[in-house]
Each structure stands twice: as C-alpha cells, then as structure tokens.
Amino acid sequence: MKVVNTIIELKSILDACREKGMSIGFVPTMGALHNGHASLVERSVSENDITVVSVFVNPTQFNDKNDLKNYPRTLDADCALLERVGAAVVFAPTVEEMYPTEDTRQFSFEPLDTVMEGACRPGHFNGVAQIVSKLFYAVEPHKAYFGEKDFQQLAIIREMVRRLAFNIEIVGCPIVREEDGLAMSSRNTLLSDDERERALTISSALFASADFAKVNTLAATKAFVEDMIDDTEGLELEYFQIVDGNTLQQIEEWGDSDYVVGCIALFCGNVRLIDNIKYKEVR
Ligand code: PAF
C-alpha cells in the first residue's frame, strides 16, 4: 500500500494504472476509520482492480471551529486498517495541497441541500461538494463509495455528479452498526461511557418506530421517535424528519412516496450524531 500526500504523486500512480486498463475504486474519508469505512473499502476492493482511499479532514465543510479542532485524527491507525482491508493507495494531503487558494465555488443543490443537515449546518454541503469534486478531479475513479449513514450527503453527491457530468458511478453502502445498534461513526470515539449508553436510544427509537409505523400514521410515528429522544436525559434532538428518499422533502402520509426515510440528528452531550432508517423502499 502506498501513502501519498500530493496530487502529482497520486496522478502518476493512477495514470499508470489507467494505462494498464485497471479499474479504480475510490473511498473518500475524513479518517478516524472504523468498520463502517472498512466495509466501503472492502466493497471497492471486491469491485475494482485498485482502491484509493483519501484521508483528509476538510475544513470547508465544518461550520463550527471547535468541531473541526476536536475531530479525531488517527492517520497511523487508519493506514493499518486500510492495509488490512486491501486499499492500494492512501491519499493524505495537507490543507494547502487541497486548497492552494481559497475555493470560492458556490454550489447549490436545491431543494436537497436546504433541509435537515443543510438547514442546521449552513455551508456544510458547499464544503462537501468543494472537496469531493476536487478529489474526483484528482482521482478520476470509475466508482466511488459512500455510506448511507450520511443519507443526505449521498443524495447530494449523486446530484453533484449529475450536474457536473462526472463519469463516476456512485455506490451507496448500507449503514454499519455496533452489535448493540449504534450506527458506527468517527464521532462515537468522542462519547463518554455514559453518553455512549444514552446514544443507544437513537437506534432503539428508530428500530422501534419501524414496527410502530406498520400500524400508525406518519405523524404519530414522528412523534413516537421525538418523544423517545426527548425522554432520554442527555440527548437533545435537532431534528427528526420523515422524508421522500429522493427529494429529501418532508411528506405527510405514508402513501405520499414509495421511498420513505426517517432522518435524525441530535446532540449527545457535545457530540452531534446522525442516523436514519428506511420505512419503505419500493425498487
Ligand atoms: O463523509 C465524509 O467523511 C466526508 O463528508 C467526505 C465525503 C469524506 C468529504 O470530506
């Protein structure tokens, strides 16, 4: 496995692979890797000749300076995990490498980016689009892999690829959970033992709501989840929205869409966590 820090080095490795007709899979990450990331890399390794993983904590997608400062950075452990799961190249650039000058591009993915995370974290998706587009130009992968935990991000990346006409297949991969149900996240390492215990209510509420939803209205299901979170000390709900999985707009009735997803964001102490559950997906 090669670890490179510059776009020039990266391109020279990947150009040689392309000349040999090899397919390139790409997994963009911000590091602090866990088994959720490992599953993306494993999927890419199984579907491509070589897999590139980027490890870069992207400053432009953080609207909170403290969040950026506290974001876990564990490059050595990340490389050990990536070697184990078969990544061929790790791209770990500096901020100056990715942003030699300020990126003044302004993306708008309305209405996808005006709701939920977009409403709570102004500028977040603009930063995500800035870095992911730069990484796509640098790597030029055939396929790129993203986790469904960041459900809104995945929808926005698909839209960005469509609008910028990138010739890249975006592969969405299922959420990976701890044995007790908590969705894997780099931010979980920031939870105290107490907070970790409380955070379990998130997945419990979502799983219980899937059963509840079978015999109750959408409004009652929304209230069911909100009440479970509100009743747990130490959790502060930011939003729970039941949306159309394609447009990300809230719906009123189960019959309003064939693809229905419940998306939640909350603070557990100072740690912001997100999760989601599919109520309906007719393919
Ligand atoms: O999902 C993430 O880890 C980040 O938003 C991404 C896609 C790597 C862009 O920085």
Side-chain angles (χ1 to χ4, degrees):
M1 186 178 83
K2 290 193 174 112
V3 182
V4 297
N5 310 111
T6 64
I7 295 174
I8 284 202
E9 287 171 281
L10 178 70
K11 277 197 175 290
S12 101
I13 296 172
L14 296 181
D15 285 349
C17 294
R18 265 185 289 269
E19 264 168 38
K20 290 185 205 142
M22 293 168 85
S23 61
I24 300 171
F26 177 45
V27 182
T29 81
M30 296 208 297
L33 303 182
H34 48 68
N35 284 340
H37 296 108
S39 76
L40 303 181
V41 178
E42 280 163 352
R43 173 98 181 254
S44 173
V45 168
S46 74
E47 294 182 356
N48 300 279
D49 294 322
I50 65 159
T51 291
V52 180
V53 180
S54 62
V55 176
F56 179 67
V57 181
N58 172 40
T60 71
Q61 72 188 75
F62 285 81
N63 56 330
D64 175 345
K65 283 204 174 68
N66 266 332
D67 193 18
L68 173 61
K69 197 175 105 215
N70 295 333
Y71 201 86
R73 289 162 171 86
T74 57
L75 186 60
D76 290 345
D78 293 345
C79 287
L81 179 147
L82 292 173
E83 181 120 55
R84 234 177 16 249
V85 292
V89 182
V90 177
F91 178 49
T94 60
V95 173
E96 292 69 34
E97 180 70 13
M98 293 317 291
Y99 296 104
T101 56
E102 190 188 345
D103 190 341
T104 52
R105 290 175 301 162
Q106 289 293 326
F107 293 88
S108 162
F109 302 104
E110 272 188 53
L112 300 177
D113 59 353
T114 53
V115 295
M116 301 192 287
E117 295 301 282
C120 294
R121 304 178 67 189
H124 169 67
F125 287 122
N126 197 54
V128 170
Q130 286 179 341
I131 192 61
V132 175
S133 58
K134 276 173 179 269
L135 291 168
F136 280 178
Y137 290 126
V139 178
E140 296 179 63
H142 297 89
K143 292 186 179 187
Y145 297 78
F146 292 85
E148 288 182 346
K149 184 169 83 65
D150 293 290
F151 189 78
Q152 189 172 8
Q153 169 172 279
L154 176 58
I156 286 172
I157 300 286
R158 287 191 198 284
E159 184 61 13
M160 182 190 81
V161 162
R162 203 178 65 79
R163 290 199 196 170
L164 299 184
F166 280 112
N167 188 13
I168 299 171
E169 183 186 334
I170 301 300
V171 183
C173 303
I175 299 177
V176 178
R177 297 183 179 278
E178 303 286 356
E179 258 178 36
D180 58 11
L182 182 67
M184 287 194 184
S185 163
S186 305
R187 291 170 197 268
N188 292 352
T189 58
L190 303 172
L191 297 168
S192 68
D193 290 349
D194 255 16
E195 288 166 346
R196 172 72 182 68
E197 195 64 34
R198 286 174 189 156
L200 263 189
T201 305
I202 307 166
S203 50
S204 313
L206 294 181
F207 296 157
S209 76
D211 281 336
F212 187 88
K214 289 178 190 149
V215 287
N216 287 283
T217 63
L218 186 148
T221 305
K222 185 168 188 295
F224 175 87
V225 171
E226 288 169 346
D227 289 348
M228 260 182 97
I229 300 298
D230 288 344
D231 291 347
T232 307
E233 208 191 298
L235 296 187
E236 200 181 314
L237 184 66
E238 214 167 12
Y239 64 77
F240 174 62
Q241 293 192 8
I242 300 181
V243 301
D244 176 289
N246 293 312
T247 66
L248 306 185
Q249 306 306 296
Q250 287 198 76
I251 56 170
E252 305 294 328
E253 312 278 347
W254 295 121
D256 288 348
S257 169
D258 282 344
Y259 186 19
V260 182
V261 184
C263 298
I264 193 165
L266 50 74
F267 280 93
C268 182
N270 289 325
V271 184
R272 191 171 185 281
L273 299 173
I274 59 172
D275 199 348
N276 64 74
I277 190 155
K278 287 180 190 165
Y279 292 113
K280 201 204 284 190
E281 188 176 14
V282 181
R283 287 183 184 264

